[in-house]
């Protein structure tokens, strides 16, 4: 959450299902961690077939600002992966975030 609040993390990659299935530009999102929360808007929601394909086209540092390489991101995704069958069926979405103007 802190990286989103500092605008260092401006991209969220998620399986394209549930509330992430039909996002459109301008949709509100709220991120919470404990007592902290940050509201954002969807600046863009771009569907991809897989996380691998997503990170071929999107700058991985926007989603993983502390990652040193794409390989590090892929290891993280493998270790923390959601349901692979669901990802293959639904695809994934790159969600570009826009914080409210200060």
């Amino acid at each position: 959450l802190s990286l989103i609040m500092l605008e260092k993390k401006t991209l969220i990659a998620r399986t394209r299902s549930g509330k992430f299935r039909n996002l459109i530009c301008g949709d509100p999102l709220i991120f919470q961690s404990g007592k902290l929360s940050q509201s954002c808007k969807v600046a863009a929601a771009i569907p991809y077939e897989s996380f691998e394909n997503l990170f071929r086209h999107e700058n991985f540092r926007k989603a993983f600002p502390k990652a040193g390489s794409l390989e590090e991101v892929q290891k993280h995704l493998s270790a923390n992966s959601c349901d692979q069958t669901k990802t293959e069926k639904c695809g994934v979405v790159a969600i570009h975030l826009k914080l409210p103007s200060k």
Side-chain angles (χ1 to χ4, degrees), residues 43-77:
I46 305 165
Y48 290 96
E49 291 178 9
S50 65
F51 287 112
E52 183 179 308
N53 195 15
L54 184 153
F55 287 115
R56 274 194 205 125
H57 295 91
E58 304 285 346
N59 182 344
F60 71 86
R61 286 186 176 89
K62 289 182 178 183
F64 295 92
K66 294 182 178 182
S69 67
L70 184 53
E71 291 77 24
E72 194 176 322
V73 171
Q74 289 169 332
K75 285 180 186 176
H76 172 81
L77 290 171

Side-chain angles (χ1 to χ4, degrees), residues 19 40 55 86 97:
K19 63 183 173 185
C40 302
F55 287 115
K86 190 177 199 177
L97 304 174

